[in-house]
Amino acid sequence: MEYESIIKRERINIIPVTKPGLNIKEVCDGLLNNKIYISKRYPTILADRDLWTADPLNDRSWRFWLHTLTIIENLIYGYELYGDIQYLNKAILFLEDWHSKNPPDSTAVSEMAWHDHSTALRLIIICKLHESWRKALFSEEKHLFFQKIIEEHCQKLMNDSFYMPNHNHGLDQDIALYTASITLSYLKESKEWKETSLKRFWKQVDHLIAEDGSYKEHSPAYVYIFLGRFYTFYHFLNKYDPAAANKLIEHLDKLLTFFIYIVQPDGQIPPIGDSEMSPFILWNELPESLVDKAKLLKKPHSLLNEFSLEKVFSEGGYAFLRNQWNYTKETVQAILYSSFHSRVHKHKDELALILYGNGVPILTDAGKFSYNYSDPGRIYAESARAHNTIVVAGEEMDTSKANIGKSGLNGYFSCDNLSVVSGTHCLYRGVLHYRLLIFLKPSNFLLIDWVIAKDTKTVVQNFLFHPSIDCSSDGRTVIGKFRGKECISLIPLIHNHGVTQLKKGRISPLEGWYSPKHSILEPTWNAQFTQTGKEARFATQMLIDKNKPAIDNFSWYGNLVKFKINQQEVMIILHQYTHELYLNGKKMNWLSLPKTQLENEVKKRWKELKG
C-alpha cells in the first residue's frame, strides 16, 4: 500500500458530533489525568480501570455519551485549538483501550457499547481522530488499527438487522457510513458503503420529514438537533456529491419553515415530547440559500410578514395559531398537536395544547425528564397527566404500534375574527375524544372537549402551568398570575362542568410537576376539571386578555354548540368525524383534513359507543 498518498492527501473535514465547550482546555487537561467530562449536565468523574462498564450516575444518557466517545472529540478540539500533541496521544490511548475491552461480538460490555446510535456517532468521531492523526502521527501500525476499527463499525452499520429504519438514529447511521466511505475511500468496500448510506438516507428523510415539512418524531428539540446535523452534512455532501447536497436543501427549506412556527415567541424551543425548554441558537455555516430564512428565528422583521400567522401541518399533526410575529407582551401563540407517526419520542399527549401569552409560557408540557424509562419521573413525563389534554383516570393512552394513525387533526377554519382547529383520537380503550380549539382573536381562546365512553369513566380536562405562573381558584374559575399580575383565567362555561381542583407537587401519583432540565422535577400548578359518566363535556374559556370581549350565551345541547362573541353568533354542529361551522347563520367553508385510517376508526368506535 502506498502510504505516502494517504499521508499527503487533502484533510477531510469531518462533521462534528458535539460542540467544544468554553472551557475546552480545562476539559482536555482533566482528560489527560483521566477526569472524565461528558457535558455540563454531569459532574466530572475520575476514571478507573473499569471505565467502560462504569455507571457512576446510574444514568442511561451518561453511558450513551461515554461510549459515543465524545471525550475523544473534546481532545481533538483541544489539539486543534492549542496544538498540544498530548491531547492527540491521549485520544488514541482512549480509543485503543475502548476497542480492547469492547469487541463487536461481545455481550459482556455496557449496553451502550454497540448501541445502534452510539455506534454511528462514535464512527464519525473515530474518522475525525483518524484525520488529525494522519497528518500529525502517521505510522503503519496505527494505520492498520484505524482501518480495522472503522471496518468493524461499517460492518455493523451495513447489517440490516442492526440498522434503524424510520428513525433518527438511522439518519446518523447513514451519515456515519457515508463519512467512513470518504475517509477510507481507497478501500474497495467504500463504494458499497457510500451507495448503501445514500440509498438509506433518502428513505429516512422521506419518512421523517412529512410532505408539509413537519418533523414526524414528536419533539421539536430533534428538529433543532437534526437541522444542525443536516447543515453540516450538507457541506460535507456538497464537496463530494453536489447533486445530493442540492436535493437535501429542498428538504431543509421545508423543515426550517416548520421550525419557524414551532419556536415560542421568546425564541425558546417548547418542551413538547422529549424536548427541554431551551433557547434557540442560530446554526453556524448555514447553506447560503437558507441564511435569510434562518435569521427570521432570531430577529423577527418584515420578511416574516410573508408567512401566515396561522398554519396547520395536517400530515405532521400540528396547528399553530398566532396573533403577530413581533415579540411583545401582547404576542399570543397556541400550539395544538395530535401527532402519532411512530413510537420514537412519543408521549401520551394526543390533542395536547401549548399556550404562550403576556410575555411568558403559560400552559406547557412537562418535558423530557430523562431517558431512564423505568424512573418514576420519566413515567410521569410521558403520561397524559403531564400534558394539557384529556386524562381518563386510572388509564393511559395506548401508544402501541397498533394505534399509529388513530389520532390527528381533522378540520380547520380561519377568518378575521376567529379560527377553529379540530381533532380527535382513539387511544383510550373504548373512548372517543373530540377537541376543538377556537381562537377568539386577537388574544383569547375557547377549548371544547367531548369525550364519549363505553363504560362510566372519570374524565379530567387537564391544564399544566409553567412554574413561573402562580394559580388560585374560587372553586370554579382558575386564575393564573405572573409576578402578581393576572395572565390567564380558565372559566368553565357549562353549568355542570364538574369538580375544579388545583394540585402542585403531588407525590402519589405524581401530579403537578415540570422538568426544566435533565432528571429534575420542579413543582408547578396543575388545574383539573373533572366529570364522571359515559359522556363528558368541557367548554373552557381561556382569557389571556380580560379586556377583550368574553363569550356570551354559551349553550351545548346534543351535537349543537352555540355562543356569541363580539356581536357575532357562532354555531358548530359536531359530527362523527368532521364538523360544520356557521357565523351569523351563514355556513362557512370548513376545511376537512382527510385521514382515512383515523376516520374509519372513529366511525367504527362511534358505532360501538353510540349505536
Side-chain angles (χ1 to χ4, degrees):
M1 181 178 290
E2 296 184 2
Y3 293 121
E4 189 73 17
S5 62
I6 296 174
I7 298 170
K8 290 185 175 181
R9 84 175 175 189
E10 181 184 4
R11 180 187 177 92
I12 298 169
N13 293 315
I14 307 297
I15 70 171
V17 171
T18 61
K19 296 178 181 179
L22 295 176
N23 57 342
I24 190 65
K25 191 174 191 310
E26 179 183 337
V27 168
C28 290
D29 288 343
L31 287 168
L32 291 178
N33 295 300
N34 295 325
K35 295 177 181 178
I36 305 302
Y37 171 86
I38 297 297
S39 73
K40 62 181 180 181
R41 173 181 291 172
Y42 304 108
T44 298
I45 303 297
L46 184 61
D48 58 22
R49 60 184 179 180
D50 298 319
L51 172 62
W52 309 114
T53 57
D55 188 14
L57 305 176
N58 189 29
D59 189 284
R60 183 177 183 271
S61 294
W62 187 90
R63 299 193 302 274
F64 168 79
W65 290 112
L66 175 70
H67 284 275
T68 297
L69 297 184
T70 55
I71 56 175
I72 286 178
E73 188 168 37
N74 277 325
L75 288 164
I76 298 169
Y77 286 137
Y79 171 70
E80 291 174 344
L81 285 169
Y82 301 105
D84 191 335
I85 202 68
Q86 291 184 92
Y87 297 157
L88 206 55
N89 282 321
K90 187 64 176 181
I92 293 170
L93 286 175
F94 273 131
L95 182 60
E96 289 176 328
D97 188 54
W98 181 90
H99 185 249
S100 69
K101 295 172 182 174
N102 295 279
D105 57 350
S106 173
T107 58
V109 294
S110 167
E111 87 281 20
M112 288 299 169
W114 291 96
H115 179 266
D116 58 79
H117 200 195
S118 64
T119 299
L121 299 180
R122 181 173 60 247
L123 176 57
I124 295 172
I125 290 172
I126 292 170
C127 289
K128 181 179 287 191
L129 178 60
H130 173 274
E131 287 304 293
S132 293
W133 160 86
R134 179 170 62 84
K135 288 295 185 181
L137 296 169
F138 186 90
S139 71
E140 182 177 343
E141 179 187 2
K142 286 291 188 296
H143 170 77
L144 295 175
F145 164 71
F146 272 105
Q147 184 172 309
K148 174 180 171 62
I149 194 170
I150 291 173
E151 284 183 298
E152 286 176 351
H153 280 68
C154 289
Q155 287 166 9
K156 278 276 191 183
L157 296 177
M158 287 288 289
N159 189 328
D160 287 339
S161 64
F162 186 77
Y163 183 64
M164 293 291 288
N166 302 334
H167 199 294
N168 68 77
H169 294 184
L171 275 174
D172 276 332
Q173 289 178 317
D174 301 331
I175 292 171
L177 193 59
Y178 185 89
T179 301
S181 76
I182 301 300
T183 304
L184 298 188
S185 59
Y186 49 83
L187 293 182
K188 64 179 182 179
E189 298 95 327
S190 66
K191 182 179 179 182
E192 186 180 5
W193 297 347
K194 185 176 183 179
E195 290 174 350
T196 300
S197 65
L198 286 179
K199 182 179 179 181
R200 288 173 170 175
F201 178 77
W202 295 121
K203 284 184 177 180
Q204 292 278 17
V205 168
D206 288 339
H207 173 78
L208 293 174
I209 304 176
E211 280 294 318
D212 60 17
S214 51
Y215 185 69
K216 294 163 65 177
E217 282 192 342
H218 316 113
S219 300
Y222 281 82
V223 181
Y224 177 56
I225 290 168
F226 273 91
L227 275 169
R229 184 92 81 237
F230 280 148
Y231 291 151
T232 53
F233 187 51
Y234 160 80
H235 290 294
F236 196 72
L237 264 181
N238 198 40
K239 186 174 180 63
Y240 302 102
D241 191 342
N246 289 333
K247 182 179 177 181
L248 181 57
I249 281 290
E250 296 174 11
H251 291 279
L252 297 186
D253 185 75
K254 292 193 297 184
L255 192 59
L256 182 55
T257 299
F258 174 70
F259 196 60
I260 286 173
Y261 278 96
I262 209 166
V263 168
Q264 291 180 168
D266 61 0
Q268 296 209 97
I269 299 169
I272 296 173
D274 284 338
S275 306
E276 295 175 0
M277 190 180 294
S278 55
F280 162 80
I281 300 172
L282 197 64
W283 302 276
N284 294 323
E285 299 181 0
L286 286 162
E288 185 175 350
S289 61
L290 298 179
V291 168
D292 287 342
K293 181 179 280 190
K295 286 181 178 178
L296 301 184
L297 282 155
K298 290 301 290 182
K299 292 183 178 179
H301 51 69
S302 59
L303 286 179
L304 265 174
N305 295 327
E306 298 175 11
F307 293 81
S308 61
L309 287 170
E310 301 171 3
K311 193 170 181 64
V312 176
F313 292 82
S314 60
E315 186 178 354
Y318 294 87
F320 302 99
L321 306 175
R322 192 173 180 132
N323 63 353
Q324 62 181 22
W325 283 112
N326 289 336
Y327 177 42
T328 69
K329 285 191 175 182
E330 285 71 45
T331 307
V332 170
Q333 179 203 46
I335 305 173
L336 181 70
Y337 64 97
S338 190
S339 176
F340 188 13
H341 305 283
S342 71
R343 298 193 70 249
V344 183
H345 301 297
K346 178 61 185 167
H347 289 201
K348 278 76 170 175
D349 59 358
E350 291 309 313
L351 295 174
L353 170 69
I354 298 288
L355 189 60
Y356 188 101
N358 284 312
V360 291
I362 299 173
L363 299 178
T364 184
D365 283 356
K368 176 180 69 176
F369 184 73
S370 79
Y371 288 132
N372 292 331
Y373 294 103
S374 61
D375 191 298
R378 172 64 189 190
I379 294 169
Y380 162 76
E382 287 187 2
S383 74
R385 301 189 310 279
H387 302 85
N388 295 282
T389 187
I390 287 294
V391 177
V392 176
E395 301 180 27
E396 270 295 357
M397 296 182 196
D398 181 359
T399 53
S400 62
K401 288 183 179 180
N403 278 340
I404 290 173
K406 295 181 182 179
S407 64
L409 304 180
N410 57 8
Y412 172 65
F413 169 80
S414 182
C415 68
D416 290 343
N417 298 322
L418 61 80
S419 296
V420 185
V421 181
S422 69
T424 187
H425 82 81
C426 307
L427 301 194
Y428 284 116
R429 183 177 57 85
V431 173
L432 259 176
H433 175 205
Y434 296 92
R435 170 164 277 193
L436 288 87
L437 178 64
I438 303 172
F439 185 16
L440 308 169
K441 300 176 182 179
S443 306
N444 299 323
F445 295 85
L446 170 61
L447 184 65
I448 291 176
D449 285 300
W450 189 20
V451 181
I452 307 167
K454 184 177 182 180
D455 304 309
T456 298
K457 305 284 186 184
T458 298
V459 180
V460 175
Q461 191 184 47
N462 199 64
F463 297 95
L464 188 73
F465 291 85
H466 188 266
S468 63
I469 309 300
D470 188 34
C471 291
S472 62
S473 174
D474 60 6
R476 181 177 176 85
T477 297
V478 174
I479 303 295
K481 294 183 178 181
F482 175 69
R483 295 178 179 173
K485 185 176 180 180
E486 185 174 324
C487 62
I488 191 171
S489 56
L490 305 180
I491 307 170
L493 297 179
I494 298 177
H495 178 69
N496 59 340
H497 79 283
V499 178
T500 300
Q501 290 183 299
L502 275 177
K503 302 178 180 180
K504 186 176 186 179
R506 293 286 184 91
I507 300 297
S508 183
L510 288 175
E511 290 180 299
W513 296 93
Y514 172 79
S515 180
K517 56 182 66 174
H518 184 76
S519 293
I520 291 175
L521 286 178
E522 180 179 341
T524 194
W525 285 108
N526 183 187
Q528 299 179 347
F529 300 149
T530 304
Q531 297 180 26
T532 300
K534 291 186 178 181
E535 189 172 320
R537 300 179 180 216
F538 301 93
T540 305
Q541 185 171 201
M542 301 187 294
L543 293 181
I544 293 177
D545 186 348
K546 62 183 180 182
N547 295 317
K548 295 294 188 290
I551 289 172
D552 290 324
N553 301 330
F554 182 89
S555 66
W556 182 357
Y557 299 107
N559 66 337
L560 183 62
V561 175
K562 297 173 70 175
F563 62 91
K564 284 186 177 181
I565 179 75
N566 201 20
Q567 304 303 312
Q568 188 170 47
E569 293 184 353
V570 181
M571 182 172 71
I572 303 171
I573 303 175
L574 304 173
H575 295 296
Q576 285 185 38
Y577 183 72
T578 189
H579 311 304
E580 295 178 67
L581 174 67
Y582 294 81
L583 299 181
N584 293 326
K586 182 179 178 181
K587 187 175 182 178
M588 296 293 102
N589 186 22
W590 178 267
L591 177 62
S592 180
L593 307 175
K595 296 180 183 298
T596 303
Q597 184 181 358
L598 174 59
E599 185 170 0
N600 290 340
E601 182 66 24
V602 167
K603 289 180 177 178
K604 173 186 171 185
R605 198 162 291 197
W606 179 277
K607 186 176 181 180
E608 293 172 353
L609 300 176
K610 302 288 283 188

